[in-house]
């Protein structure tokens, strides 16, 4: 039994005595539930330990297998692996080279295809340009002769099949060659291109205008219901040609002569229509130019005559078929001749007498008139000197065509002729038409001033049929004016004609311009001119041209 604190005597300090360890208190006995739980837990731990042992065994077995494989690989030879690797590299290189070759081939194919396309495009472009050049005029862009022949042939076939009418208009420019000769081919090309555009603007979209070459054009008009329609078209073309051209700051003029042939009455074939329209065009030129003519059968004869003339004109001078005749210009007061106009004549061995307006244009077109003109001038100067034995040199007048006037050599040839013959230049009068001066007024003024420096006299011929007025001609250094013979038509007797002539003579006197009236054939006309105080006159009434 434990001692109570009150029963114990007070402690006596002394050395402590060793005490025996307390006896363990026995744990209470576990219950049945706790025992079951402990058994279950122990069983789980045992299974987990067994699973861990089994896992370790498996890993151990895998390590042994891996170790065997590693030892086997270490024991195996090295070259199969190297060979495999080499083969693999070779295979990769072959594939890469194949891909490179394939890529290169594709590139070559692409480049070749692009090159072929480029060549094809170039060929197409070249073919297109060749075709364009084959059927179009290079300068104006108009259809050329080949295109015209083809189109006209189709048009004739269609007109014949459907019983329709068409017209061919053959156009030749007047006074074009002097522009080419004096201002150069660039100026001529500019005029041709400009007039081509003007002609196009005058026509319907269904009509055709083509350039044959040089200054020749052809217009094709189809489906004509009324032939009078052509009159309006032709007038438009004439007006288009007459418009001024500004070439390098200079104003130049041309006109046109047009011949017209109709299908079917004037020809049932394309070439026949062209030939007949050409013949009608020459008839228009012979009628004074700047006009049009319809074809008629007699023009075929004229066309054949022109061909014969053109073939033989080159020999006319050397064979002695050309001659010069002289017609006097008379002073109406004293009745004495002022001078004599030199006129060239051609007596063809087969065709007889050929008039100047028939053969001079042909000679100019053939480039043969320059030596003929020089010969005319020299002959006239020699004729004038025949009066020297009587103490007086006879004055002579020489006509200058527009082609000659703008030729670059003729003035120097004239100077040489004057020096060679020692003919007094003040006795030589050069007759130049109003139309010639107005073709290129600026250049004409320079040429006239050069001629005046030679000492010759200058006369304006055929005044009254062109565009100029007397006052506008004061800018030119002219010594006299010849009124065109058409102004005497109806004089005397017709009031309008008389008033027109009187007005011109009065204006000339006021401007102090010497005037000569041409075409006097009757005594009544002479008397009228004397009453109008006309100083000089010329015509058959005073005498025929004589050698």
């Amino acid at each position: 039994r434990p001692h109570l604190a009150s029963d114990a005597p007070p402690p006596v300090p002394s050395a402590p005595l060793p005490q025996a360890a307390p006896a363990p208190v026995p744990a209470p006995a576990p219950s049945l539930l706790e025992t079951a739980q402990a058994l279950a837990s122990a069983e789980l731990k045992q299974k987990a330990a067994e699973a861990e042992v089994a896992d370790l065994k498996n890993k151990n077995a895998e390590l042994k297998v891996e170790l065997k494989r590693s030892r086997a690989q270490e024991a195996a030879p090295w070259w199969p692996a190297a060979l495999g690797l080499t083969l693999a590299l070779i295979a990769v290189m072959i594939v890469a080279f194949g891909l490179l070759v394939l890529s290169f081939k594709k590139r070559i194919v692409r480049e070749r295809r692009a090159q072929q396309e480029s060549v094809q495009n170039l060929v197409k472009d070249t073919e297109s340009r060749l075709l364009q050049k084959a059927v179009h005029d290079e300068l104006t862009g108009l259809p050329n002769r080949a295109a015209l022949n083809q189109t006209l042939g189709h048009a004739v076939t269609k007109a014949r099949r459907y019983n329709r009418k068409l017209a061919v208009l053959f156009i030749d420019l007047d006074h074009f060659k002097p522009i080419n000769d004096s201002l150069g081919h660039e100026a001529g090309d500019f005029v041709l291109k400009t007039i081509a555009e003007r002609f196009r603007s005058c026509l319907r979209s269904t009509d055709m205008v083509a350039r044959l070459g040089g200054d020749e054009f052809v217009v094709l008009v189809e489906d004509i219901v009324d032939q009078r329609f052509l009159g309006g078209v032709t007038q438009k073309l004439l007006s288009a040609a007459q418009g001024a051209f500004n070439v390098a700051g200079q104003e130049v003029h041309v006109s046109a002569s047009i011949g017209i042939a109709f299908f079917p009455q004037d020809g049932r074939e394309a070439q026949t229509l062209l030939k007949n329209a050409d013949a009608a065009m020459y008839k228009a030129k012979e009628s004074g130019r700047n006009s049009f003519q319809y074809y008629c059968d007699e023009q075929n004869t004229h066309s054949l005559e022109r061909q014969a003339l053109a073939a033989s004109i080159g020999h006319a001078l050397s064979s002695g078929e050309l001659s010069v005749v002289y017609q006097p210009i008379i002073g109406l007061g004293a009745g004495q001749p002022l001078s004599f106009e030199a006129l060239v004549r051609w007596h063809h061995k087969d065709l007889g007498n050929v008039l100047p307006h028939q053969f001079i244009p042909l000679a100019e077109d053939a480039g043969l008139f320059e030596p003929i003109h020089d010969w005319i001038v020299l002959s006239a100067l020699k004729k004038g000197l025949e009066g020297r034995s009587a103490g007086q040199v006879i004055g002579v007048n020489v006509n200058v065509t527009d082609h000659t006037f703008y030729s670059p050599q003729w003035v120097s040839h004239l100077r040489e002729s004057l020096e060679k013959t020692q003919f007094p230049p003040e006795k030589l009068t050069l007759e130049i038409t109003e139309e010639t001066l107005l073709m290129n007024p600026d250049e004409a003024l320079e040429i006239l001033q050069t001629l005046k420096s030679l000492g010759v006299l200058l006369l304006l011929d055929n005044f009254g049929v062109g565009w100029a007025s007397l006052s506008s001609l004061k800018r030119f250094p002219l010594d006299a004016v010849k009124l065109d013979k058409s102004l005497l038509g109806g004089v005397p007797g017709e009031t309008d004609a008389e008033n027109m002539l009187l007005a011109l003579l009065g204006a000339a006197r006021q401007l102090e311009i010497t005037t000569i009236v041409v075409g006097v054939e009757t005594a009544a006309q002479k008397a009228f001119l004397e009453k109008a105080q006309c100083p000089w006159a010329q015509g058959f009434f005073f005498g025929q041209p004589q050698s």
Side-chain angles (χ1 to χ4, degrees), residues 268-484:
R268 301 186 63 85
E269 302 295 334
Q271 294 306 312
T272 303
L273 288 170
L274 280 174
K275 178 174 68 70
N276 292 343
D278 182 42
M281 182 272 295
Y282 275 102
K283 185 66 175 177
K285 281 189 175 294
E286 293 173 1
S287 301
R289 305 183 180 186
N290 190 30
S291 62
F292 68 93
Q293 289 284 333
Y294 293 105
Y295 172 78
C296 59
D297 288 338
E298 66 179 22
Q299 291 168 1
N300 254 340
T301 303
H302 294 159
S303 178
L304 294 175
E305 290 178 356
R306 281 196 306 275
Q307 294 177 15
L309 292 176
S312 56
I313 196 169
H315 308 289
L317 183 59
S318 60
S319 61
E321 295 180 356
L322 294 181
S323 62
V324 179
V325 295
Y326 302 88
Q327 187 177 33
I329 299 173
I330 302 297
L332 291 178
Q336 297 297 318
L338 170 68
S339 62
F340 291 82
E341 181 180 358
L343 302 169
V344 64
R345 294 291 184 263
W346 182 13
H347 185 76
H348 193 279
K349 62 179 180 179
D350 298 321
L351 300 175
N353 292 327
V354 184
L355 297 177
H357 73 268
Q358 293 177 309
F359 71 83
I360 288 179
L362 291 176
E364 289 179 336
D365 291 342
L368 300 173
F369 189 67
E370 185 173 322
I372 295 176
H373 181 267
D374 293 342
W375 173 80
I376 294 171
V377 171
L378 194 60
S379 299
L381 298 183
K382 290 179 179 179
K383 177 63 69 173
L385 290 174
E386 291 180 359
R388 181 179 291 176
S389 59
Q392 184 180 6
V393 175
I394 301 172
V396 291
N397 289 30
V398 175
N399 291 282
V400 181
T401 67
D402 52 7
H403 178 273
T404 301
F405 184 78
Y406 289 104
S407 174
Q409 301 296 329
W410 84 278
V411 175
S412 61
H413 291 176
L414 175 63
R415 182 185 293 107
E416 292 173 2
S417 297
L418 289 171
E419 293 174 352
K420 179 179 180 180
T421 59
Q422 293 298 303
F423 188 88
E426 66 275 9
K427 288 290 186 177
L428 172 62
T429 301
L430 300 176
E431 298 192 10
I432 304 155
T433 66
E434 167 194 355
E435 194 175 22
T436 298
L437 297 184
L438 294 180
M439 286 172 58
N440 189 344
D442 293 334
E443 185 177 1
L445 179 59
E446 293 181 6
I447 296 174
L448 292 177
Q449 290 171 341
T450 303
L451 293 172
K452 289 299 290 183
S453 69
L454 298 179
V456 301
L457 301 179
L458 301 175
L459 181 148
L460 183 69
D461 197 11
N462 295 348
F463 180 79
V465 296
W467 311 296
S469 64
L470 280 171
S471 59
S472 68
L473 296 173
K474 290 293 291 182
R475 64 179 295 202
F476 299 116
L478 301 170
D479 298 290
V481 171
K482 262 189 182 181
L483 300 186
D484 189 75

Side-chain angles (χ1 to χ4, degrees), residues 329-333 335-339 480-481 505 514-518 520 529 533-538 542:
I329 299 173
I330 302 297
L332 291 178
Q336 297 297 318
L338 170 68
S339 62
V481 171
L505 290 172
T514 301
T515 309
I516 303 170
V517 175
V518 181
V520 180
L529 293 175
Q533 300 178 8
C534 176
W536 305 95
Q538 181 181 1
F542 304 106

